[in-house]
Amino acid sequence: MSELKKLGILNREGMRACNEGRPGDALFQLTQADSLARALNSPLHEAKVRNSMALVYQMSGKYEEARVSFRIAAGRAVEGGGEGNALHRVIMRNLDCLTVQSKGRAA
């Protein structure tokens, strides 16, 4: 099995665990995917995985961890595909939603 295929499986399984209410398992899978993306020197894949990690943190109420992961993801997306690419736009929308959500919780 190729490394890219493994990365995709880890990312999907991580998000499945998140959707099933198992954030710890999700982050375990996604951390493995992130390590693999970095080893492959693939900034766009790392951005996608970091975005997924941020969503897990957000769903778990860990807003600061989510914010950091979204920012890392955004930087890697720009590095891999330039400012304003499709993935970068998705990540920035997610970061905006997090900002609104976290401010609503603080009120």
Side-chain angles (χ1 to χ4, degrees), residues 4-53:
L4 281 177
K5 187 167 184 160
K6 286 179 194 176
L7 191 150
I9 290 169
L10 288 166
N11 192 56
R12 279 191 302 280
E13 290 300 314
M15 292 313 293
R16 179 179 300 161
C18 177
N19 291 329
E20 292 174 354
R22 299 180 291 118
D25 291 341
L27 288 171
F28 177 79
Q29 297 278 354
L30 293 169
T31 299
Q32 289 182 324
D34 183 55
S35 294
L36 189 51
R38 283 186 282 121
L40 293 169
N41 195 28
S42 179
L44 287 175
H45 286 98
E46 185 182 347
K48 182 176 172 76
V49 172
R50 283 291 187 153
N51 182 63
S52 296
M53 292 173 78

Side-chain angles (χ1 to χ4, degrees), residues 48-91:
K48 182 176 172 76
V49 172
R50 283 291 187 153
N51 182 63
S52 296
M53 292 173 78
L55 292 170
V56 173
Y57 285 129
Q58 183 177 3
M59 291 176 178
S60 301
K62 297 179 177 179
Y63 299 126
E64 189 54 36
E65 291 91 335
R67 188 172 291 107
V68 169
S69 288
F70 280 135
R71 287 182 179 152
I72 292 169
R76 299 300 280 161
V78 168
E79 181 181 329
E83 185 84 30
N85 68 67
L87 179 57
H88 182 249
R89 288 191 310 270
V90 167
I91 293 165

